[in-house]
Amino acid sequence: MERLQKVIAQSGYCSRREAEKLIKDGKVLVNGEKVSELGVKVNYSDNIMVNGVLLSKEDKVYFILNKPRGYICSASDEKTRKTVIDLIKTDKRIYPVGRLDYNTTGVLLLTNDGELTNLLIHPRSEIEKVYIAKLNKILEINDLKTIEKGVIIDGYKTKRAKLKIRKIDKKKNNCIVEIRIHEGKNHQVKKMFEAVGYDVIKLNRVLFAGLTTYGLKSGEYRKLTVKEVKQLYSLVK
Ligand code: URA
């Protein structure tokens, strides 16, 4: 179940803010009944009519992008900074599944499939993500172990993670670490390292839900195959 305004927006009909106004104005029917207050939850299979028009079940599209640095993961109203949506040629109203920070690079899924998006970002799904992080100093083994067991970020204890040191540069006093997690809190990786006293100076996501950027240069993207979409659904259903 999802909020009505979110489902309307995800269908591509309008923005979420516009959907809220349409609901308040009494322009939305759910399975034939008028809904004019916010907060009502619906299923993706419900019949939703806006301004007398049945919401089309728009064809679903799925893209994997190798996100470059310097792009924000926002679908909406961003006037000044470049967004990941600008990189993809489509007439569909797509949005990123979860977020990568402005300067984080790597695997990013974008789609107009609201149901799959919500399933993939739900903590219950425990989708696997692997990042390669460059740290501002060499990671001590006891700190690595502390992160693996869980650290407190924003009052929340992170679940078990798996870390591997990939490279140590003694001269420059930094290192490259692989970190594998099954959660997706805001700025999670940076905060996990910060919790034990390290700064992440570069971050690249190399795996998300079994998808990699294999064959994609920075800024390039491709459509997922039907098989890949089925695999994503099999992870969450
Ligand atoms: N964790 C972060 O800190 N940043 C990202 O972009 C992704 C995960």
Side-chain angles (χ1 to χ4, degrees):
M1 300 286 274
E2 272 305 332
R3 280 172 190 273
L4 179 56
Q5 61 266 38
K6 187 169 177 183
V7 174
I8 296 173
Q10 285 181 337
S11 80
Y13 185 88
C14 60
S15 72
R16 197 183 300 199
R17 217 163 294 147
E18 286 159 349
E20 286 174 0
K21 180 156 188 320
L22 287 165
I23 295 169
K24 285 196 241 159
D25 290 348
K27 300 279 169 52
V28 180
L29 304 182
V30 177
N31 301 326
E33 305 230 341
K34 192 195 282 183
V35 173
S36 49
E37 79 252 14
L38 299 178
V40 169
K41 292 197 167 178
V42 294
N43 271 315
Y44 285 90
S45 56
D46 283 330
N47 247 318
I48 301 167
M49 208 177 243
V50 185
N51 272 332
V53 179
L54 193 63
L55 274 199
S56 70
K57 307 262 188 274
E58 192 182 45
D59 284 347
K60 302 291 181 248
V61 288
Y62 306 84
F63 297 97
I64 175 166
L65 167 72
N66 185 355
K67 179 189 174 295
R69 292 164 71 95
Y71 283 80
I72 58 157
C73 281
S74 165
S76 62
D77 314 328
E78 175 70 36
K79 297 282 186 297
T80 48
R81 289 184 298 173
K82 293 176 287 187
T83 82
V84 288
I85 310 294
D86 301 333
L87 292 167
I88 293 182
K89 283 202 186 82
T90 176
D91 56 356
K92 305 278 192 297
R93 192 185 276 258
I94 56 166
Y95 37 82
V97 177
R99 284 178 181 226
L100 289 179
D101 295 336
Y102 184 67
N103 277 331
T104 300
T105 56
V107 188
L108 185 67
L109 179 64
L110 299 106
T111 180
N112 57 350
D113 183 340
E115 186 184 12
L116 181 65
T117 300
N118 293 327
L119 289 166
L120 285 171
I121 63 178
H122 197 286
R124 182 189 52 221
S125 301
E126 298 187 352
I127 292 302
E128 184 173 54
K129 293 144 195 152
V130 180
Y131 296 86
I132 304 292
K134 183 171 182 185
L135 306 182
N136 67 328
K137 54 188 175 173
I138 295 167
L139 184 63
E140 304 277 343
I141 289 300
N142 57 328
D143 293 329
L144 180 153
K145 293 205 168 125
T146 305
I147 292 180
E148 285 193 326
K149 282 190 221 137
V151 285
I152 308 287
I153 56 170
D154 301 329
Y156 163 89
K157 182 157 188 240
T158 58
K159 306 245 160 49
R160 276 200 78 79
K162 190 84 198 108
L163 274 72
K164 275 185 206 157
I165 297 183
R166 285 288 196 86
K167 206 168 163 191
I168 291 178
D169 189 331
K170 283 198 175 144
K171 270 200 207 128
K172 291 192 181 146
N173 188 37
N174 62 35
C175 70
I176 293 179
V177 182
E178 176 188 298
I179 173 164
R180 189 174 295 264
I181 57 176
H182 293 83
E183 304 162 285
K185 303 271 175 231
N186 236 347
H187 311 301
Q188 175 149 355
V189 173
K190 289 178 188 162
K191 286 182 177 169
M192 287 170 83
F193 284 107
E194 273 164 21
V196 286
Y198 298 79
D199 285 337
V200 172
I201 47 184
K202 254 191 190 171
L203 191 60
N204 180 33
R205 183 155 72 184
V206 293
L207 184 106
F208 174 83
L211 299 168
T212 70
T213 55
Y214 180 77
L216 296 174
K217 297 199 188 95
S218 175
E220 286 185 348
Y221 65 90
R222 67 172 175 85
K223 280 191 171 170
L224 291 193
T225 63
V226 172
K227 192 172 165 205
E228 285 172 319
V229 174
K230 279 196 183 139
Q231 267 162 1
L232 287 177
Y233 265 103
S234 74
L235 291 175
V236 290
K237 272 206 161 164

